[in-house]
Structures are given as structure tokens and as C-alpha cells.
Amino acid sequence: MLDVRRLQVLRAVVTSGSVTAAANHLGYTPSAVSQQISALEKQAGVALLERIGRGVRPTAAGKLLTEHAATIGRHVAAAETALADLREGRTGQLTVRYFATVGSTVLAPALADLRERFPGVRIDLRMTDPDDPLPEVTKGHADLAIVVRARGTHHEGVQLVHLRDDAYRAVLPKGHRLASKRVINLSDLAEEAWVGSETPGPCLDSVVNACAAAGFSPDFAVESGDYATAQGLVAAGLGVALVPEMGLASRHPGVTVLKVRNPEPIRSIHAAVRTPVTGQSALEGLLAALTQAACPAL
């Protein structure tokens, strides 16, 4: 295979008309330029230059390779420009996966901020509920996923950036014996029938683990795959539920929502990205925007 750098040296010699002029232009010594041309001629198997007085001119083979060297030079320059645009976030695409309750509250404002800062970056966005989106990142199918994981969790090759903690609230039917309280102990619900609001996975683990810490296992009488339906089932008197605060944006009129303590169940929301992130301006910008959007005080 012909050496691309040597082709560019040949192009400089042919364009300038002499080895000495090319050496001055390239910042090489004339001897170094001659060595590069000799090595290229060995690769090509044919003479590329012939002397004319104090200068040189290309042979037919030298002229042919010089023309190709010019084309290669343009393509290399275009590739370098495209790479710089991608690196700086002027072009490219980010593949993002998320679960429902973070869509409008965290992800939407973060993406609006990203579009303002990186208007040339396209976003491939998809909700993965009820599936866990983390494997999309670990398998290289997504650049970023918003996931629920316990604080301090580690996954090889993945960086988890903590965004916020989302506390669970007790959802009770109107008129429930505990409805007049502002805060209840989690153990107060130990003997109740429960409406399941989570599908199996990290979110349900947060609920079950908190109940275990309070000394009981919840008795799920009815299962629901979403928070709105869970509230409706609670309002109908089929049980009590724990629903994360972010899942209570629209509250059913037939329920009462209370804070829970001892312990307070919490799901920790993170942005998951493959490591390393450095050098990917658009992805770093999205992480910063998500962190900003996830902070309730801002």
C-alpha cells in the first residue's frame, strides 16, 4: 500500500518544482525529502521524478500519483473537519433511552437546553418502559440512558451520574384511617392490602427493600403497570400503594398522598453513559443539562 504521507511529499515536490523548495515548504531537510521520494518509488516500483537542470519534473507515474495525492489531501482535510465538528458537537447524533416519569420533568428541558447549545446534533430518543434501559448502554446501542439504581452501584465500563433522588409517597383511599395524618411510618401499612405500582426491576426493589427494613413484606392484592392506574385502583378501595413523587404529577381526586418515614423509600435516578465521556462535547453537554434539569430547586 502506498504511504499517504510520502504521496503528499511527492505532491509538494512536483508543485514547487524542486526538492529544495519542497523541503523549505514542508520544514524538512532536502535529504529527508529525497529519502521519502526514494522510498515511495520503491513502493510504486517505478521512477516518479526526473531531473531537469536544477529542478525536477514528474514522470507519467509521478504525475498520476500527484493527482491522486491532491484528491487524497482533500479527503483527509474533509475528514479532519468532520471529525472536529463531531468532537465539538456541531454535528452527530446522540441515542438516548429513558423511562416514562423522567420524560417531561427532566429529559424534555435538558433536551431543549442541548438543542440551543448544539443545534446540529440529532437526538434518537426512545422510551423503554417497562424494560431497564441500562443494557442499551452496556451493549453500545445507546449513548445515554436514564436509569434507576441504588446509590453507589457500579457497572464495568459504565459511568452512573446521579441526577436526583425520588422519594415514594403513600397513596391511600379518601377516608382511610390514616388519611388525616401528614406523615406515617412505613410499618403502618404492614397489614394493608397493596396495589402494586411497579413492574419487577430496580424501582420495585426500592419499595420491597424499604418494606423489609420496616419489618414486613407487602401483600400485593392487585398489580398495576403504571402510576395513574395504581391511583385509580387505590381510589376504588382495592388497597394502598407507594408511588414515587415524580409519578404523582397528576393526582387522582379519590386518593390521599402522605409522606412516609422509618424508612422513606427512595429510588435514585442516574444518567448512565459508557466510559470515558471526555472529548464528546454534545454528550457532556447533555449530562450537564440533565443534572441542571433534575435539581428541583433550580
Side-chain angles (χ1 to χ4, degrees):
M1 181 179 293
L2 298 176
D3 187 280
V4 173
R5 290 183 179 274
R6 290 170 182 165
L7 285 171
Q8 297 308 316
V9 171
L10 172 65
R11 181 186 175 197
V13 172
V14 172
T15 302
S16 63
S18 74
V19 169
T20 301
N24 291 334
H25 176 71
L26 296 171
Y28 297 163
T29 64
S31 175
V33 170
S34 296
Q35 290 174 7
Q36 292 292 315
I37 296 299
S38 295
L40 184 59
E41 287 180 328
K42 287 181 180 179
Q43 286 184 311
V46 63
L48 301 176
L49 298 173
E50 58 185 7
R51 290 194 171 279
I52 299 181
R54 296 183 178 181
V56 294
R57 68 181 179 187
T59 64
K63 184 177 180 181
L64 175 69
L65 289 186
T66 298
E67 292 172 352
H68 281 286
T71 302
I72 292 170
R74 289 193 295 271
H75 283 301
V76 170
E80 290 175 341
T81 299
L83 180 60
D85 287 342
L86 181 65
R87 188 172 54 244
E88 297 303 319
R90 291 186 287 270
T91 61
Q93 175 174 295
L94 289 179
T95 302
V96 179
R97 301 294 179 254
Y98 69 103
F99 59 90
T101 48
V102 296
S104 62
T105 55
V106 175
L107 187 57
L111 291 178
D113 180 78
L114 183 75
R115 176 173 290 180
E116 184 174 342
R117 296 174 57 196
F118 301 96
V121 175
R122 296 178 62 249
I123 303 297
D124 174 9
L125 185 66
R126 190 172 75 222
M127 188 173 70
T128 59
D129 280 348
D131 297 328
D132 180 12
L134 184 63
E136 293 281 294
V137 174
T138 58
K139 295 176 182 177
H141 298 160
D143 299 297
L144 180 147
I146 302 180
V147 302
V148 172
R149 285 296 185 278
R151 297 287 290 268
T153 300
H154 297 284
H155 291 271
E156 185 176 357
V158 175
Q159 178 183 352
L160 291 174
V161 179
H162 181 255
L163 299 178
R164 65 174 289 180
D165 288 332
D166 190 18
Y168 280 83
R169 302 302 185 213
V171 180
L172 312 177
K174 290 282 189 182
H176 189 276
R177 60 184 177 83
L178 299 172
S180 61
K181 297 180 177 291
R182 295 182 58 188
V183 183
I184 61 172
N185 293 318
L186 185 54
S187 59
D188 292 337
L189 303 177
E191 302 302 321
E192 299 283 342
W194 281 57
V195 172
S197 66
E198 303 285 10
T199 56
C203 292
L204 180 59
D205 291 345
S206 300
V207 172
V208 172
N209 291 340
C211 291
F216 72 98
S217 178
D219 177 18
F220 291 110
V222 184
E223 298 287 346
S224 167
D226 66 89
Y227 301 135
T229 301
Q231 290 187 67
L233 294 172
V234 170
L238 298 177
V240 301
L242 288 185
V243 175
E245 208 165 30
M246 292 176 67
L248 292 168
S250 298
R251 296 191 181 185
H252 193 289
V255 303
T256 298
V257 177
L258 305 176
K259 289 185 177 182
V260 180
R261 64 187 177 191
N262 297 325
E264 180 183 51
I266 289 175
R267 63 176 187 173
S268 292
I269 300 173
H270 298 76
V273 293
R274 294 192 306 277
T275 53
V277 180
T278 55
Q280 303 178 65
S281 297
L283 184 55
E284 291 175 331
L286 179 55
L287 279 172
L290 285 168
T291 301
Q292 178 76 10
C295 182
L298 297 178

